[in-house]
Amino acid sequence: MIEVLLEYLAKGFLIMLSISMPCVLCAAGIGLVVGILQAVTQVQEQTIAAAPKILGVFLVIIIGGVGFIKLLTNLFSEGMVLAFDTIPKADTFVLDSNYYKYTTPFEREMHDKFKNVDSINEIMKNPGKVPYIDSYGSKKYFAAPKNAMPKPNLVETKKILGR
């Protein structure tokens, strides 16, 4: 199934290149011609080079626009078939209904109690009292890093401002 997804990704990159390549080649060709004309006439104006490029890319998009839209529409519909038809039918991608019984993420963290608060009701009653896991962690401050232009951390900034 991963091969199908990687193939779809590769197809998306190829479509991206096939849509952008005519525009890029047109802009490069016009830039080369305008550059040669500017070198021959010795007129070095930036806007002279930009206007024909914009016009040329605009014409390429108008001429190839229907084809570009068909390519993108086909890619989108193929992606929808993959997302809603192919992948859900693959047994290897569907998790078992009791999958959660075999995984215990953050089990230890879920059973920790806050040291300064008895329960969640205490937190709700005292919104200004910040809960913490251990008392040492709530009082630990680090000095600002020592570099060429050190920026004070929160504690040092409060001391400087006198708060």
Side-chain angles (χ1 to χ4, degrees):
M1 192 52 57
I2 294 295
E3 294 84 16
V4 173
L5 295 174
L6 288 176
E7 181 181 340
Y8 180 72
L9 181 68
K11 188 178 287 190
F13 279 122
L14 286 175
I15 288 175
M16 177 187 62
L17 285 175
S18 64
I19 289 174
S20 64
M21 192 57 66
C23 299
V24 171
L25 289 177
C26 176
I30 291 173
L32 180 66
V33 170
V34 169
I36 291 172
L37 288 175
Q38 283 183 335
V40 169
T41 61
Q42 294 183 354
V43 176
Q44 301 297 324
E45 181 63 33
Q46 297 285 334
T47 57
I48 293 174
K53 285 182 193 177
I54 293 170
L55 184 64
V57 170
F58 182 70
L59 288 174
V60 167
I61 290 173
I62 287 180
I63 293 169
V66 175
F68 297 159
I69 290 173
K70 284 184 182 178
L71 284 172
L72 289 173
T73 305
N74 290 339
L75 181 70
F76 179 75
S77 60
E78 186 177 340
M80 291 300 109
V81 167
L82 276 174
F84 296 113
D85 193 34
T86 307
I87 292 178
K89 289 182 180 175
D91 292 336
T92 57
F93 276 93
V94 179
L95 293 177
D96 202 9
S97 62
N98 58 0
Y99 175 74
Y100 67 92
K101 291 181 181 177
Y102 304 113
T103 60
T104 55
F106 310 114
E107 182 178 343
R108 193 190 90 237
E109 289 84 0
M110 293 168 75
H111 297 296
D112 280 345
K113 291 254 185 196
F114 291 115
K115 302 295 183 200
N116 65 336
V117 179
D118 295 333
S119 67
I120 190 71
N121 294 331
E122 287 291 321
I123 296 173
M124 298 304 287
K125 289 177 188 173
N126 304 314
K129 188 176 181 184
V130 180
Y132 51 88
I133 296 294
D134 59 352
S135 61
Y136 178 71
S138 67
K139 296 174 185 165
K140 191 187 314 181
Y141 299 114
F142 299 104
K146 306 294 185 224
N147 53 13
M149 294 291 292
K151 181 180 177 188
N153 63 12
L154 180 66
V155 175
E156 292 171 341
T157 304
K158 284 185 176 182
K159 285 181 183 177
I160 291 170
L161 297 175
R163 292 183 188 169

